[in-house]
Amino acid sequence: MKQVLLAMGVVLSLVSSSAVLAKDLTLSEKIDILVKAYPETLNMGSEKGVGFIRHAQILEVDDGVKRDHFQMLEAGDIEDSLQQVYPAGACETRPDVNFDPGRIRSEKLMTLMYGGSKKEVARNLVPVKWFGETLQVTSINGVNTALEAVRDELVPRSDLRKYLAPSAGVFNFRKVAGQKNLSVHSFGAAIDLNTKFADYWVWSRGKPGNVPVYKNKFPMEIVAIFEKHGFIWGGRWYHYDTMHFEYRPELLEIAKRAGVSACK
């Protein structure tokens, strides 16, 4: 099995992702967390594979292929997707080179949960009101309910409204820019906030493995509320996308169990 990478911060306002000493979790423990995070779609799991409620299929966890970071981004398996531990919390982090927790995904897992085509995904999209807009969000895994919970917690904060809307959208069946794999927007399980305040490594003319440092413009209160309800933030990636949030509750629970926090 591939070695798990952990991340823990230093007690500073900006926390490095490299200085981490936390409880390591076994692959079996992480798979158990994964299955429990998606009770609507997953019904069993072990180091060998995970089973799906609506599909008579077992998806292998580790296909045995050794990949570098960029190969994992384009064609990672489930084990690849769980290697880097996401540091949640109301503190900013400064990730090390190629520390992209959550940006590595198993496309097979995502398509079996949410749908493998635009038409299939669209069957489960529902409207979610979002600060004067209506967004199309998947109802699978309760993503729509989670986003509504984020919205409801942010409604009283009129001072934060400018960062939230207009949204750059949720559902958009497309590939990740410059890659062969599908974006989480393809599944209606990710939202982009106001691009006016966004920093994106491609826009800043970064190259894979070599991106300029950005200055975050989104208040960490927004990030903490999204994380509270199961969404991870693209601002914690070395290849950053600060307007981007996607529903990945398993990564937040793994970090909690491992004792990893952005504020330590």
Side-chain angles (χ1 to χ4, degrees):
M1 296 297 176
K2 308 171 191 81
Q3 187 177 9
V4 177
L5 302 178
L6 294 179
M8 174 184 276
V10 185
V11 184
L12 295 172
S13 59
L14 295 180
V15 185
S16 169
S17 63
S18 61
V20 179
L21 291 172
K23 176 189 174 184
D24 196 359
L25 300 183
T26 66
L27 182 57
S28 291
E29 288 174 319
K30 288 187 284 187
I31 295 303
D32 184 62
I33 291 170
L34 174 71
V35 172
K36 290 177 179 177
Y38 299 103
E40 181 182 331
T41 51
L42 301 179
N43 61 5
M44 60 80 66
S46 69
E47 289 189 15
K48 293 184 178 181
V50 297
F52 297 81
I53 293 173
R54 290 190 294 269
H55 303 280
Q57 182 172 347
I58 302 296
L59 178 61
E60 62 185 355
V61 168
D62 182 4
D63 59 16
V65 178
K66 293 185 178 180
R67 303 177 177 91
D68 65 25
H69 184 72
F70 299 101
Q71 290 170 333
M72 286 192 288
L73 288 174
E74 292 209 0
D77 58 23
I78 293 175
E79 195 233 357
D80 293 328
S81 74
L82 302 176
Q83 282 193 36
Q84 295 181 333
V85 180
Y86 178 91
C91 301
E92 289 188 46
T93 52
R94 283 291 176 259
D96 292 334
V97 175
N98 294 340
F99 184 75
D100 295 323
R103 191 166 174 254
I104 297 170
R105 313 171 186 99
S106 166
E107 185 170 301
K108 289 182 180 179
L109 175 66
M110 302 294 277
T111 56
L112 284 170
M113 287 202 296
Y114 296 108
S117 68
K118 183 177 181 179
K119 184 177 181 180
E120 190 177 357
V121 174
R123 291 194 197 108
N124 295 294
L125 296 177
V126 296
V128 170
K129 298 294 184 183
W130 183 263
F131 303 100
E133 305 172 76
T134 300
L135 306 176
Q136 295 299 310
V137 184
T138 185
S139 60
I140 292 179
N141 293 322
V143 178
N144 62 314
T145 302
L147 188 59
E148 288 169 341
V150 172
R151 177 202 63 202
D152 292 346
E153 195 160 342
L154 287 168
V155 163
R157 296 297 306 273
S158 58
D159 57 315
L160 301 177
R161 189 74 52 88
K162 65 181 181 181
Y163 301 101
L164 306 171
S167 163
V170 174
F171 177 59
N172 184 3
F173 200 86
R174 62 173 176 79
K175 294 180 179 179
V176 176
Q179 296 179 199
K180 298 178 181 179
N181 55 310
L182 290 171
S183 163
V184 180
H185 288 285
S186 299
F187 310 113
I191 180 173
D192 286 342
L193 302 187
N194 191 344
T195 58
K196 181 179 178 181
F197 302 97
D199 284 286
Y200 179 37
W201 71 276
V202 176
W203 294 348
S204 63
R205 299 182 180 180
K207 303 295 182 183
N210 184 15
V211 303
V213 176
Y214 74 92
K215 183 177 181 181
N216 177 41
K217 304 180 186 70
F218 284 100
M220 292 306 296
E221 295 162 276
I222 293 175
V223 174
I225 290 171
F226 267 97
E227 291 176 341
K228 176 182 176 181
H229 296 287
F231 293 84
I232 64 169
W233 178 44
R236 299 210 190 275
W237 300 338
Y238 175 74
H239 297 90
Y240 50 83
D241 186 356
T242 66
M243 64 184 167
H244 179 88
F245 294 85
E246 64 183 72
Y247 189 69
R248 301 287 296 284
E250 75 278 15
L251 298 183
L252 293 158
E253 181 61 25
I254 287 171
K256 180 180 177 181
R257 290 268 300 274
V260 173
S261 169
C263 299
K264 288 185 179 179

